[in-house]
């Protein structure tokens, strides 16, 4: 994922005044592809499972999600209603919130475009989740003074998302960017800061009805979080704050089998998983993956090993009455909707076994 340009604290926390456009007439609306993705397959899946994309504005999904060719801009503004009509697509990640905080009014526009049973995964702003202030080229320039700030997270992210999305908010996701070496050496200090943030979020959500509270999940991009001296403490913090660990299937992290012990330490609990960049592209291969796999209209790098373990994990967790949110990137295998179909078929097979 491209790194946002550096910006001041004031600019990054400013409330946006322009909400994404909504369709003004039937002629302007985006039409879903026919047959609908997952038609006949979705009903064979656990009701507690939600599959979706990491964002949705991809013209290459023509014929799979979209009925015809639409521009990326049109899809970003008007494609969500068509997306949510597909039985298999019951969630989606709002990734743009990572680059700048969104206002409650912007979230409300998204909520108005989807049915009542649809749920969003929303990424926290990088201003909260990145320990460094970065330049245009993505390199860290200096330490971020508001990294993991509870007040900033609540003001610019948690409260606006809850207000704007209401019951359609499924997951509050804190994706922690790779840490600089100084913080990796002092990871216990970062854990203490994360604990304060997680407890503050829990306190904020405590006022919501229990069945309307979103899942709070933390994704990391450094294998050090899984170290034997760190992982138990990390798990304890998440458990005590009512949060969970997000399986980040990204080339910067170990494969899924090596991450599952941390998730097991939180059992019983929900599954939040982001199936991102295929490991064949290496830990810094996002740009290469994006270039080689575009326009994301077919499977090019099938990752059967990940799919098999993930399907078993989903089936096991849902069979015990726990929710599962899985969002898939085009960079995982080449085409997120087709990866969803592959994963859904594998889960359905597990259900039938």
């Amino acid at each position: 994922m491209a790194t946002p340009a550096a910006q001041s604290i004031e600019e990054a926390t400013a409330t946006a005044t322009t909400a994404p456009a909504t369709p003004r007439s039937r002629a302007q609306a985006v039409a879903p592809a026919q047959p609908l993705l997952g038609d006949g397959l979705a009903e064979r899946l656990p009701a507690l499972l939600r599959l979706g994309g990491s964002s949705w504005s991809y013209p290459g999904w023509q014929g799979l999600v979209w009925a015809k060719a639409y521009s990326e801009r049109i899809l970003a503004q008007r494609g969500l209603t068509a997306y949510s009509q597909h039985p298999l697509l019951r969630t989606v990640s709002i990734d743009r919130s990572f680059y700048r905080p969104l206002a409650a009014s912007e979230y409300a526009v998204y909520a108005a475009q989807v049915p009542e049973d649809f749920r969003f995964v929303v990424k926290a702003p990088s201003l909260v989740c990145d320990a460094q202030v970065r330049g245009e080229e993505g390199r860290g320039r200096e330490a971020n003074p508001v990294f993991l700030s509870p007040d900033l997270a609540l003001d610019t992210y948690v409260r606006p998302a809850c207000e704007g999305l209401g019951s359609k908010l499924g997951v509050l996701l804190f994706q922690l960017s790779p840490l600089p070496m100084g913080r990796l050496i002092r990871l216990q200090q970062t854990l203490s800061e994360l604990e304060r943030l997680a407890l503050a979020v829990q306190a904020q959500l405590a006022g919501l009805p229990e069945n309307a509270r979103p899942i709070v999940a933390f994704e990391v991009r450094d294998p050090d979080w899984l170290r034997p001296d760190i992982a138990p403490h990390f798990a304890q913090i998440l458990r005590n704050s009512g949060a969970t660990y997000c399986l980040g299937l990204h080339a910067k992290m170990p494969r899924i089998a090596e991450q599952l012990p941390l998730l097991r330490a939180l059992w019983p609990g929900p599954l939040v998983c982001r199936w991102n960049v295929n490991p064949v592209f290496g830990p810094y291969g996002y740009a290469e993956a994006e270039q080689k796999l575009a326009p994301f209209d077919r499977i090019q790098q099938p990752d059967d090993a990940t799919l098999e373990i993930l399907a078993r994990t989903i089936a096991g967790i849902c069979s015990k009455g726990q929710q599962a949110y899985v969002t898939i990137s085009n960079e995982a295998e080449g085409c997120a909707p087709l990866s969803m179909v592959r994963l859904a078929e594998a889960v359905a097979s597990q259900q039938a076994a």
Side-chain angles (χ1 to χ4, degrees), residues 23-316:
R24 293 190 299 274
S25 71
R26 184 175 297 275
Q28 292 177 305
V30 174
Q34 299 292 336
L36 295 174
L37 191 72
D39 201 14
L41 175 58
E43 62 192 30
R44 296 165 52 202
L45 298 176
L48 291 167
L49 169 62
R50 292 182 180 274
L51 296 174
S54 182
S55 193
W56 63 88
S57 56
Y58 300 103
W61 293 358
Q62 177 185 350
L64 294 170
V65 179
W66 323 120
K68 61 180 183 179
Y70 299 97
S71 70
E72 184 175 346
R73 180 182 64 83
I74 292 298
L75 292 174
Q77 294 178 342
R78 307 169 193 167
L80 195 51
T81 297
Y83 172 102
S84 65
Q85 291 180 44
H86 293 277
L88 206 58
L89 307 181
R90 302 181 63 219
T91 189
V92 76
S93 177
I94 298 178
D95 287 356
R96 65 187 286 252
S97 54
F98 182 78
Y99 299 107
R100 69 166 179 83
L102 303 185
S105 60
E106 294 179 280
Y107 287 121
V109 170
Y110 289 136
Q113 296 180 55
V114 298
E116 287 302 316
D117 186 53
F118 194 87
R119 298 292 182 269
F120 290 92
V121 176
V122 184
K123 291 176 69 172
S126 62
L127 189 62
V128 173
C129 295
D130 196 333
Q132 300 181 90
V133 177
R134 299 183 184 272
E136 291 279 357
E137 76 293 345
R139 295 183 181 276
R141 298 188 313 179
E142 58 187 336
N144 177 7
V146 290
F147 177 53
L148 299 180
S149 164
D151 290 340
L152 188 63
L154 296 180
D155 290 344
T156 67
Y157 171 53
V158 177
R159 292 188 187 109
C162 288
E163 178 183 345
L165 296 175
S167 62
K168 295 176 183 177
L169 174 57
V171 179
L172 290 167
L173 177 71
F174 292 85
Q175 176 198 301
L176 304 190
S177 299
L179 297 173
M181 184 56 66
R183 276 197 170 269
L184 288 177
I185 294 172
R186 303 187 306 275
L187 201 49
Q188 290 288 356
Q189 174 188 331
T190 301
L191 278 171
S192 297
E193 295 168 343
L194 186 148
E195 182 174 28
R196 287 194 293 272
L197 169 61
L199 290 172
V201 173
Q202 180 194 52
Q204 176 67 38
L205 299 178
L208 299 176
E210 187 171 354
N211 62 357
R213 292 175 198 167
I215 298 168
V216 179
F218 287 83
E219 178 186 353
V220 297
R221 290 287 174 88
D222 295 293
D224 296 72
W225 291 91
L226 304 180
R227 285 174 6 207
D229 61 320
I230 294 296
H233 190 192
F234 187 21
Q236 182 180 15
I237 287 171
L238 295 176
R239 188 185 306 108
N240 292 346
S241 63
T244 192
Y245 173 69
C246 173
L247 286 176
L249 307 186
H250 190 284
K252 283 188 170 67
M253 290 295 291
R255 300 300 296 267
I256 181 173
E258 296 177 63
Q259 296 188 51
L260 283 175
L262 181 53
L263 192 63
R264 293 190 188 104
L266 298 169
W267 184 256
L271 169 68
V272 178
C273 175
R274 298 181 69 238
W275 189 2
N276 291 316
V277 183
N278 195 305
V280 300
F281 294 105
Y284 301 99
Y286 180 87
E288 179 188 359
E290 191 172 40
Q291 181 180 16
K292 288 188 175 181
L293 300 176
F296 312 124
D297 58 352
R298 64 193 188 281
I299 299 292
Q300 298 186 59
Q301 292 285 349
D303 186 353
D304 294 334
T306 293
L307 184 141
E308 180 183 352
I309 296 176
L310 182 55
R312 289 203 309 266
T313 303
I314 290 169

